Amino acid sequence: MTGGGGGSPEEFPIQEGGGESEEEQVMSEVHLGCPPNHSGPHISHFTVSLPPRKAVEWIGDGWGTMGAKVCEVDEDGDLILPRRTRQTDRGNDSFVITIQHHVTSSIPSVGLQVWGAELVLADFVLHMMYNSSKFDGIVAIDLGAGTGLIGMVLARAANTVFITDHGDEVLGNCAKNVHLNVGLFHENASIYVRELDWNHQWPPRDIENSSSQKKSYVWIVSEVEELNRASLLVAADVIYNDDLTDALFSILEVLMSTDQEKVLYLALEKRYNFTMDDLDVVANGYSHLLSYLKLVDDVEEEDAEEECWCGFVGKRINLEEIPQYILEYNRGNALEILEIKYVKSNRNF
């Protein structure tokens, strides 16, 4: 969430030391229960609580009505429960994710903290994994990953996850978190913690051959080829600085305009500030984000083929339909998730 990613510099500013030379410290709302004066890494445990199994599932018929899915019985009349063969969280009703993070940080290092948008996006990913096989066996990219929480959740279903951010301190913390949670991933999952600076070109110039001595967080040729096959991108709380938003969409255009169709789920928190330019309370970072998108709803999407459009198309996810699986945060009303696609022509809607 730093440099190549984002964070939340406007939450709970804390001035340390009182001197002008001291860097301003900020604190995520998620950390309000942590010791405020704690220095260095802190360990938090986030409990994921999944709904209990049901013998009969209620399903929609596509026309707004609901019907019961009939369960099969064996020759003795006993109920045959559907078995989940994938190595995901579906087999357990709860588990715990351990995250090393800082309680406060300077603005350039906000990726060392856990933010609300990160947790709501993890809820969305868990919901998708629990109710569908859409993320099974895919290649996924976590952009501006911060603590790496979302990428690690994805590793319970995806075969390959690239957890990316910028800066050795944030990336080192990501790698530590992957090590702390290695038992949660499915047995075929491959997780890579890699440097991805949105202000630099993609693919990066500094690519190594697999036979060379590997530097920390540097890409090798085979990994770049694998990333290009990704179908899913996720990013959380990376919208707060207009220059960073510009850099994000610049790299997104490169990553998403390939032949492999990709979708981005972007979670954010709308942060409102009073500005003299507007003489009003506005969410400037959010407004700048929307300038990159053509927002559609389900009705507009049906008529979109009549329009000529090339670029990013976004659709809001209804969070009222996404249960809160992670218990240790307050969702509030400022969090939002956008489903974003890149279309080359109107036929791609």
Side-chain angles (χ1 to χ4, degrees):
M1 290 186 184
T2 62
S8 175
E10 298 157 345
E11 293 278 2
F12 302 102
I14 301 168
Q15 186 70 39
E16 292 191 348
E20 293 183 2
S21 61
E22 294 287 343
E23 260 193 311
E24 184 181 39
Q25 296 288 299
V26 293
M27 183 182 194
S28 166
E29 184 181 20
V30 176
H31 301 158
L32 289 179
C34 300
N37 297 320
H38 182 87
S39 60
H42 180 80
I43 298 291
S44 290
H45 304 283
F46 293 90
T47 305
V48 177
S49 180
L50 298 171
R53 297 288 170 265
K54 294 182 179 180
V56 177
E57 299 179 13
W58 290 93
I59 58 174
D61 61 7
W63 298 95
T65 59
M66 303 296 286
K69 180 189 293 183
V70 179
C71 295
E72 297 180 356
V73 295
D74 61 20
E75 58 185 8
D76 297 322
D78 296 324
L79 186 66
I80 300 176
L81 295 177
R83 296 190 178 276
R84 310 286 192 179
T85 57
R86 296 192 308 103
Q87 310 93 322
T88 71
D89 47 74
R90 295 175 181 174
N92 301 308
D93 288 334
S94 66
F95 61 93
V96 174
I97 301 175
T98 301
I99 297 294
Q100 175 178 282
H101 62 91
H102 285 215
V103 176
T104 65
S105 70
S106 63
I107 291 175
S109 299
V110 288
L112 295 171
Q113 298 192 58
V114 181
W115 300 92
E118 188 175 6
L119 296 173
V120 76
L121 186 54
D123 275 340
F124 173 78
V125 168
L126 286 162
H127 189 65
M128 294 291 290
M129 289 165 54
Y130 189 80
N131 290 283
S132 76
S133 59
K134 187 175 182 178
F135 295 161
D136 292 7
I138 64 169
V139 178
I141 312 167
D142 189 352
L143 296 166
T147 64
L149 187 150
I150 302 167
M152 292 188 295
V153 170
L154 275 168
R156 295 177 68 84
N159 276 3
T160 304
V161 180
F162 292 99
I163 296 178
T164 69
D165 212 308
H166 177 54
D168 285 348
E169 187 177 16
V170 173
L171 291 168
N173 193 60
C174 273
K176 175 65 175 179
N177 284 328
V178 170
H179 176 74
L180 289 172
N181 293 280
V182 68
L184 298 180
F185 316 138
H186 78 75
E187 59 185 10
N188 296 320
S190 297
I191 304 175
Y192 303 92
V193 178
R194 294 292 178 262
E195 176 104 23
L196 182 53
D197 187 342
W198 304 342
N199 290 299
H200 291 172
Q201 68 174 25
W202 178 263
R205 291 193 180 95
D206 190 10
I207 299 179
E208 299 184 348
N209 295 316
S210 56
S211 59
S212 63
Q213 185 176 2
K214 188 76 175 68
K215 299 177 184 177
S216 297
Y217 319 123
V218 176
W219 300 84
I220 63 175
V221 174
S222 61
E223 294 168 359
V224 172
E225 294 172 349
E226 180 78 354
L227 179 138
N228 289 332
R229 291 191 288 270
S231 59
L232 173 67
L233 298 88
V234 292
D237 223 336
V238 296
I239 302 299
Y240 66 89
N241 176 287
D242 288 355
D243 291 337
L244 200 58
T245 301
D246 294 338
L248 170 62
F249 277 90
S250 177
I251 194 70
L252 284 177
E253 185 168 8
V254 175
L255 293 174
M256 298 181 71
S257 61
T258 62
D259 292 336
Q260 170 68 51
E261 185 175 345
K262 294 176 171 61
V263 60
L264 164 69
Y265 291 103
L266 173 66
L268 56 95
E269 182 172 351
K270 291 180 284 188
R271 297 183 173 91
Y272 293 90
N273 298 284
F274 181 84
T275 70
M276 293 299 297
D277 291 339
D278 299 284
L279 293 178
D280 198 0
V281 177
V282 296
N284 283 329
Y286 183 70
S287 300
H288 191 64
L289 160 69
L290 295 184
S291 70
Y292 277 95
L293 303 177
K294 178 180 177 63
L295 279 179
V296 299
D297 56 29
D298 292 334
V299 175
E300 290 175 335
E301 198 166 3
E302 294 176 359
D303 299 329
E305 291 186 1
E306 298 178 5
E307 300 182 24
C308 232
W309 175 260
C310 178
F312 294 98
V313 176
K315 183 165 61 175
R316 292 185 178 92
I317 300 296
N318 184 0
L319 292 184
E320 293 182 0
E321 297 178 355
I322 309 300
Q324 185 167 334
Y325 298 108
I326 299 179
L327 306 181
E328 292 85 358
Y329 80 106
N330 294 317
R331 185 173 288 183
N333 297 319
L335 296 174
E336 185 170 297
I337 299 177
L338 292 168
E339 179 187 271
I340 297 174
K341 296 180 181 179
Y342 183 84
V343 295
K344 297 178 182 178
S345 70
N346 56 316
R347 294 183 181 180
N348 288 42
F349 275 93

